[in-house]
Amino acid sequence: MADQTSQGAHTAEGDKAYWSANVRIILISLVIWALVSFGFGILLRPLLSGIAVGGTDLGFWFAQQGSIIVFLALIFFYAWRMNKLDKEFGVEEE
Amino acid sequence: MDQFTINLLFVGASFALYIGIAVWARAGSTSEFYAAGRGVHPVTNGMATAADWMSAASFISMAGLIAFTGYDNSTFLMGWTGGYVLLALLLAPYLRKFGKFTVSEFIGDRFYSPTARLVAVISLLVASLTYVIGQMTGVGVAFGRFLEVSNTAGLLIGACVVFAYAVFGGMKGVTYTQVAQYVVLIMAYTIPAVFISLQLTGNPIPGLGLFGTDVESGVPLLQKLDQIVAELGFNEYTAHHGDTFNMVLFTLSLMIGTAGLPHVIMRFFTVPRVADARWSAGWALVFIALLYLTAPAVGAMARLNITEQFWPNGTEGQAVSVETIETDPAYDWMATWQQTGLLGWEDKNGDGRIQYYNDASPEMQERAEAEGWAGNELTNFNRDILVLANPEIANLPSWVIGLVAAGGLAAALSTAAGLLLAISSAVSHDLMKGQLTPDISEKGELLSARIAMAVAIAVATYLGLNPPGFAAQTVALAFGLAAASIFPALMMGIFTKVNNKGAVAGMLSGLIVTLIYIFLHKGWFFIPDTNSFTDADPLLGTIKSTSFGAVGAMVNFAVAFTVSKMTTPIPAEIEELVESVRVPRGAGAAAADH
């Protein structure tokens, strides 16, 4: 808390910019999250039916495995990106 | 050495390991009891979270559900992993920054309202208790089967083991015990799958073998499976048959429920820093994905193996004879599982053969008439036995069967322990210290936590003996309730300026509307025959009661925003709290306060 008072208004504004950058990254990630699971895995599966994967189609693969792999990638991307963002805005932990 | 002795050996050795670790890591202070002094590494924490998360439902039940339904039950795979994205992005780092011990503590402070905290505690207790009842039922069935004792005896033995390490170990004991349990359960799940994948596809990685080529016929495995099941009148394995809207809602409910279950969220309080909380969710999903990427392969390959066992001469040829089932060692598993009452067959037409087919299919009825069949003769195949029976069906070595026994028990017990911890902290920390007796001593708090655990085990064991329904129904209720009550409150607490009245109204309406919808379909308080609707013909469109959690969550959000708009905005100090939760800086100091 001590460093907040010493830097004053500058920090409050920086915090705001940091937060909107964070929200933007979250929104992009969630669009991908929904696209691979509800999209490719369920609703858009008929569109992907032409792409064959091991005896079935790409939509089946996304529903059973692909979405899980993308989920993993998303979480690690977010952790990496946010830990970098923390440093850019100087809000990381001591 | 016979199979019973081998099972006993594997189960006994794994339990000795868990209890040994629990005794070694006995908790001292209150802080250690709840959050292990925040000294847990993200990878360790991820592994423990994975063990905590993957219960009897994931280990024992899920692959069986996929095997007999195919593509439509991909909902479980996406739903139970996709929730971790929500956790990692929307909850974990902020709750860690907040720096307290429990979920309801955050809700109480953020919404500056003891009522909000109380509603959160009640939601958590209801969700956790129903979940743990399902686990204890699973513990009873698994113990009963592998130790060859009655269901009741199995349940009582299991309850004693859970009691031993959850009550005396606290979170730290549970964390390291769960790491050991994770190792046991993942080996138990993947080793038989590797064997079977090698047999069928020649690929040692089951997840890849699923999309590989069947060695015997030279066609892709899934194509062969589609063909064989279709020839017997069943739905094609990879095709979509159910209602799409309900499928989306069910997946969403499981995802939101995952991010709202207290025993999973609590894990993220136990890492040293906010940055670690972000990584922790990822590591948890890595360890969960090892099982979840294997599960669809286990399901598809088991379905193929079972179908071929019943049609050794192909689907156009003669079915397996009763004599073969009774004398061929490859069919020993059928006699073993028949004893449990979960598998049954009957030679209805007296031709000395067991015809397994879909007798509701018109084409099959034609063939049945031509060949003189009198209906499907595999009269009972409980889906929950598939994973446990799988190594026996594939004729794998005895030690693999023993390992699967130990793994199934590890899955059920670890989740039961995690849930019991969530229950005990809700009672002692939130209810006793937070509401009823604020000046309780640390010793008194610890004692009440342990009493709460013992009482919860007793209640869960009792209800496990007389379960209110199938384990899967109980688990569905737990997910729906967590999705409808806790997740929206947490998310609004971090991302919006919703006030106290909005949060309380939102949580209550989400919780109540979901409870009522479930009771209307499953019976009031699960009393049989008190339901007005069934999931086959639900009240609202195609929405089954298991999918209603997502609707409940939307009701929660809508009510909370409306009420909040109409009442006094949040005070300045809460505005500051929200701002501070959003930035990682100063997280260490917040934790040291306690």
Side-chain angles (χ1 to χ4, degrees):
Chain A
M1 286 297 161
D3 56 340
Q4 239 171 359
T5 44
S6 63
Q7 287 174 37
H10 171 76
T11 308
E13 253 167 49
D15 283 359
K16 231 173 219 155
Y18 166 80
W19 183 247
S20 47
N22 177 20
V23 170
R24 200 164 48 243
I25 296 166
I26 290 175
L27 283 178
I28 294 168
S29 305
L30 287 185
V31 166
I32 299 170
W33 165 81
L35 184 71
V36 295
S37 51
F38 301 108
F40 297 160
I42 304 176
L43 299 169
L44 303 177
R45 190 182 170 201
L47 296 180
L48 301 176
S49 61
I51 307 167
V53 176
T56 179
D57 57 275
L58 192 61
F60 182 88
W61 180 77
F62 265 108
Q64 299 226 321
Q65 288 183 339
S67 53
I68 298 174
I69 294 167
V70 177
F71 295 157
L72 268 176
L74 277 175
I75 295 177
F76 279 106
F77 162 76
Y78 181 75
W80 167 80
R81 187 69 192 85
M82 285 309 290
N83 291 344
K84 214 173 81 164
L85 197 74
D86 288 354
K87 292 202 180 71
E88 282 166 28
F89 283 84
V91 296
E92 79 272 25
E93 299 146 276
E94 301 73 40
Chain B
M1 215 181 330
D2 65 352
Q3 189 61 49
F4 175 71
T5 318
I6 293 169
N7 289 348
L8 207 62
L9 218 66
F10 270 87
V11 173
S14 61
F15 280 11
L17 180 69
Y18 310 147
I19 295 170
I21 292 171
V23 169
W24 165 71
R26 270 184 62 174
S29 71
T30 351
S31 159
E32 266 179 43
F33 186 80
Y34 293 119
R38 300 194 200 281
V40 183
H41 188 272
V43 177
T44 315
N45 198 47
M47 215 183 266
T49 310
D52 216 347
W53 172 241
M54 292 190 290
S55 65
S58 293
F59 188 99
I60 298 174
S61 188
M62 189 174 64
L65 290 169
I66 296 169
F68 286 96
T69 307
Y71 163 78
D72 282 358
N73 272 346
S74 309
T75 45
F76 290 100
L77 297 166
M78 291 186 283
W80 280 341
T81 53
Y84 277 83
V85 178
L86 300 179
L87 255 177
L89 273 52
L90 303 177
L91 303 182
Y94 317 107
L95 293 178
R96 172 60 194 86
K97 170 63 200 296
F98 177 68
K100 294 286 178 65
F101 292 126
T102 64
V103 171
S104 34
E105 213 164 17
F106 173 79
I107 291 178
D109 284 10
R110 163 59 183 82
F111 296 108
Y112 48 100
S113 151
T115 318
R117 184 167 175 172
L118 187 67
V119 173
V121 171
I122 291 168
S123 308
L124 294 178
L125 282 176
V126 173
S128 303
L129 197 62
T130 45
Y131 201 157
V132 82
I133 293 163
Q135 293 305 316
M136 294 310 282
T137 314
V139 167
V141 172
F143 266 86
R145 164 66 186 85
F146 286 113
L147 301 181
E148 292 175 20
V149 294
S150 72
N151 185 22
T152 309
L155 187 54
L156 293 176
I157 296 169
C160 293
V161 176
V162 176
F163 185 83
Y165 68 74
V167 172
F168 295 109
M171 188 71 141
K172 193 165 187 180
V174 172
T175 299
Y176 290 109
T177 306
Q178 288 184 335
V179 169
Q181 282 170 330
Y182 176 78
V183 174
V184 170
L185 85 83
I186 200 67
M187 284 186 355
Y189 204 84
T190 49
I191 288 175
V194 168
F195 271 106
I196 295 168
S197 180
L198 275 172
Q199 283 174 358
L200 291 178
T201 67
N203 194 324
I205 301 168
L208 297 176
L210 175 65
F211 295 96
T213 305
D214 179 58
V215 174
E216 206 181 88
S217 62
V219 298
L221 183 88
L222 285 168
Q223 203 175 317
K224 183 181 175 188
L225 181 57
D226 269 350
Q227 192 190 332
I228 283 189
V229 297
E231 279 166 4
L232 296 172
F234 296 104
N235 283 335
E236 272 190 9
Y237 190 83
T238 60
H240 178 40
H241 305 279
D243 179 70
T244 309
F245 180 60
N246 184 64
M247 194 175 168
V248 168
L249 271 189
F250 183 56
T251 308
L252 191 59
S253 292
L254 294 182
M255 286 177 174
I256 303 176
T258 302
L261 278 170
H263 70 292
V264 178
I265 302 174
M266 266 180 81
R267 285 283 169 198
F268 299 100
F269 293 96
T270 67
V271 290
R273 299 177 313 132
V274 173
D276 296 327
R278 295 183 184 131
W279 292 119
S280 267
W283 284 113
L285 191 57
V286 165
F287 294 116
I288 291 166
L290 285 179
L291 188 143
Y292 273 67
L293 292 174
T294 306
V298 170
M301 289 172 188
R303 179 79 181 273
L304 189 62
N305 273 339
I306 291 163
T307 313
E308 288 192 324
Q309 272 215 330
F310 282 95
W311 296 95
N313 311 305
T315 49
E316 300 297 325
Q318 292 280 9
V320 67
S321 71
V322 176
E323 197 197 335
T324 308
I325 292 175
E326 281 166 1
T327 55
D328 188 340
Y331 292 82
D332 278 353
W333 66 274
M334 289 184 62
T336 321
W337 283 94
Q338 190 187 29
Q339 292 167 2
T340 64
L342 302 173
L343 181 74
W345 64 93
E346 187 196 344
D347 185 14
K348 291 176 186 168
N349 61 350
D351 67 348
R353 296 182 180 277
I354 298 299
Q355 282 93 18
Y356 161 56
Y357 67 103
N358 182 10
D359 51 16
S361 144
E363 292 105 68
M364 290 314 286
Q365 283 166 356
E366 262 173 50
R367 183 175 167 193
E369 205 160 312
E371 305 215 19
W373 299 347
N376 179 21
E377 296 180 341
L378 182 61
T379 48
N380 181 19
F381 197 116
N382 186 305
R383 286 154 199 212
D384 287 352
I385 73 172
L386 183 120
V387 170
L388 297 178
N390 201 23
E392 300 169 69
I393 297 169
N395 280 310
L396 299 186
S398 307
W399 66 268
V400 179
I401 298 167
L403 184 63
V404 171
L409 294 174
L413 290 173
S414 62
T415 306
L419 287 162
L420 285 169
L421 195 84
I423 291 169
S424 80
S425 67
V427 170
S428 67
H429 203 71
D430 296 316
L431 216 56
M432 300 289 285
K433 195 177 170 72
Q435 307 252 347
L436 303 174
T437 52
D439 37 84
I440 191 170
S441 67
E442 189 170 290
K443 218 173 162 186
E445 200 188 332
L446 205 55
L447 183 69
S448 65
R450 284 171 178 169
I451 291 172
M453 254 189 198
V455 171
I457 290 175
V459 171
T461 306
Y462 175 74
L463 291 172
L465 289 170
N466 307 285
F470 291 117
Q473 291 173 326
T474 329
V475 169
L477 173 65
F479 271 86
L481 290 170
S485 55
I486 299 301
F487 176 79
L490 291 174
M491 207 191 141
M492 287 185 289
I494 298 159
F495 285 85
T496 73
K497 304 270 163 84
V498 163
N499 69 9
N500 52 349
K501 295 196 173 71
V504 170
M507 279 193 286
L508 277 178
S509 48
L511 183 70
I512 291 169
V513 96
T514 308
L515 256 183
I516 290 177
Y517 197 84
I518 290 169
F519 284 160
L520 279 173
H521 290 75
K522 303 280 187 197
W524 291 89
F525 304 97
F526 298 111
I527 298 165
D529 302 323
T530 57
N531 57 317
S532 320
F533 301 91
T534 62
D535 276 337
D537 186 19
L539 170 63
L540 297 175
T542 54
I543 306 171
K544 294 184 182 184
S545 59
T546 44
S547 313
F548 198 78
V551 181
M554 287 169 216
V555 170
N556 185 334
F557 278 119
V559 169
F561 283 126
T562 313
V563 172
S564 187
K565 273 251 157 62
M566 296 188 306
T567 46
T568 344
I570 56 172
E573 70 264 24
I574 300 300
E575 193 129 357
E576 262 168 46
L577 174 74
V578 175
E579 300 298 340
S580 99
V581 162
R582 290 177 177 183
V583 288
R585 182 185 51 231
D593 286 350
H594 223 89

